Amino acid sequence: MSSSTTLSHVAGPGPWRGLPALLAAALWALTAVALAALDGHVDIANLAMLVVLCSALSALCLPLWASMLASTAAMVAFNWALVPPRGSFGVQLPQHGVLLGAMLGVNLVIATLLASLRRRALQAQRLADHAEQARDWATALRDSPQADLASLTEALHDRIRGTLGIEARISSIRLLGTLPRSNDDSGLDTTHLHHQEADSREGLWLCLRQSRAMGPGTGWHDAQPAWYLPWRARQNSHGASRISHPTLTLLPPAEQEALRVHLQSLCDQLGAHLAHAQATQAEQQAREQAQSQSVRNALLAAISHDYRTPLATILSAASSLIEQADRLSPGQRLTLATTVHDQTRQLARLTDNTLQLARLDHPGVQLRLDWESAEDMVGAALNRVRQRDPQRRVRARLEPGLPLLRCDAVLLAQLLDNLIDNALAYSPSEAPVELLVRRQANELVLAVRDRGPGVPPAQRDQIFTVFQRGEAAQGRGAGVGLAVCRAIATAHGGTLKLRARAHGGSSFEAWLPVPDTPAPPSAEAHADTEGPA
């Protein structure tokens, strides 16, 4: 940060001190030597031009008051030493008086113009620095959309100190939610508020509440020794900062106003950024709620549609059994009872899938984990599938030496049942279905393979999405089975993949992580638990 953007020029040495002042003194000394050397060889008018030239050059180094003082002193010394009668402040000829007056007037005009140009250049440089700082601050806010409030507040303080200097003292409060009704700490973040400043808390809260700057030059509580600047956005403020500096009130009104406007713009940029982040978060929450509501509505519509057919079938079969029992043969009654049984099982499976999908999609779901054997889970799945697979199309193949799985056995059983039922439903009646279990590095793969029509490439990315069904699945189920399988695999830290088989069909594979199996208790530990004989 350049010195033109700080307040050091108010309290510290000015630009007329040090090297510039020495340079001006050297110019006047050189001019005095030149006047002495040229005295008697050049007329008095030309000697006066040397004084005017030196006055103009020294005005580049001195402030206005010092330049005027030096020019006046030079004119008096010129009159004493070179204007006849020499050694007095009188003038012998009228034109000499005109010469001295013109010389002094030109010197004063030059000093005034140069001081004005220097002041305007300083203001322009300060405005350029402020604009550059505002651009850098906007870039920093844009490049850190996920930054927390504490780091953003610290960044704002750093930029304010870069403008005012290290002597600046800054305190801030931030809104955590909605604006509190009172000036207590509820709803406010006071991390960057110095607790020893009781009046700062009141001033910051009032500034935040009113969304209005106060302090010197603001027209509101001008007697305050510090500025209170809100972090304004379009609707309200999201925080406020108290900014104090030992030389703040010593600035000229114009410079004080320009500096306050710049600091307010930095605060407003942060307020607009926080408002945008808040709006983005609210929009995201609204979108998620709308999507969740849409999913619930679609789920209810799909369930009601897919419940209707089996319920109608069950009702028809049950009515036939009740009303025509004496006219039905044993075979017909068995057929109707089987229909009721199958359709009821289909309803139960649909209900289980729906409930599990709703449960697993809920954040923070807890699984009932235990160590399970892959062989036991596959055997149980085969026993269940035999009831609906009298042709025994399902064949299992397990790799020897499979590790134990830390899993929820009920959920994995549902995953296997869904994948097997899906393969049986969409495969030719004579085609086999293979259940393969193998280990791949640190994962256990549960694969259900079929020889069905497969899934078109355009639908493979969406096949695990709820309510998505392939072309061959029209009219079959609600489209939640594979979505439940994916949710179960994800809940166990794994993934569910679809791989097209080389000679037709699909392979649905659940890749589950294999944790380290706990070591069995040692013989010594077992003996210790048994105790002495």
Side-chain angles (χ1 to χ4, degrees), residues 19-33:
L19 182 61
L22 292 177
L23 181 60
L27 285 173
W28 282 114
L30 181 62
T31 301
V33 173

Side-chain angles (χ1 to χ4, degrees), residues 1-2 5-8 129-130 133-134 137 152-173 192 204 226-231 239-245 248 259-270:
M1 185 62 63
S2 62
T5 60
T6 65
L7 298 181
S8 60
D129 290 339
H130 289 174
Q133 188 182 35
W137 182 222
L152 290 176
T153 304
E154 287 290 352
L156 175 65
H157 290 186
D158 291 341
R159 279 162 174 78
I160 294 176
R161 290 190 181 96
T163 301
L164 299 180
I166 59 175
E167 297 181 1
R169 186 176 179 85
I170 310 169
S171 302
S172 297
I173 59 175
H192 294 84
L204 286 169
W227 280 326
Y228 292 82
L229 304 180
W231 302 354
S241 293
R242 180 184 185 273
I243 305 169
S244 63
H245 192 279
L248 190 63
L259 183 60
R260 183 183 63 80
V261 169
H262 170 62
L263 297 181
Q264 182 65 72
S265 69
L266 297 180
C267 294
D268 290 346
Q269 282 181 286
L270 179 56

Side-chain angles (χ1 to χ4, degrees), residues 173-191 193 195 201 205 208-209 238:
I173 59 175
R174 304 186 303 262
L175 279 181
L176 295 176
T178 57
L179 189 67
R181 295 182 178 273
S182 59
N183 60 341
D184 56 14
D185 290 343
S186 61
L188 296 177
D189 182 358
T190 59
T191 305
L193 176 65
H195 295 285
R201 186 186 305 272
W205 182 87
L208 173 62
R209 184 89 178 175
H238 293 263

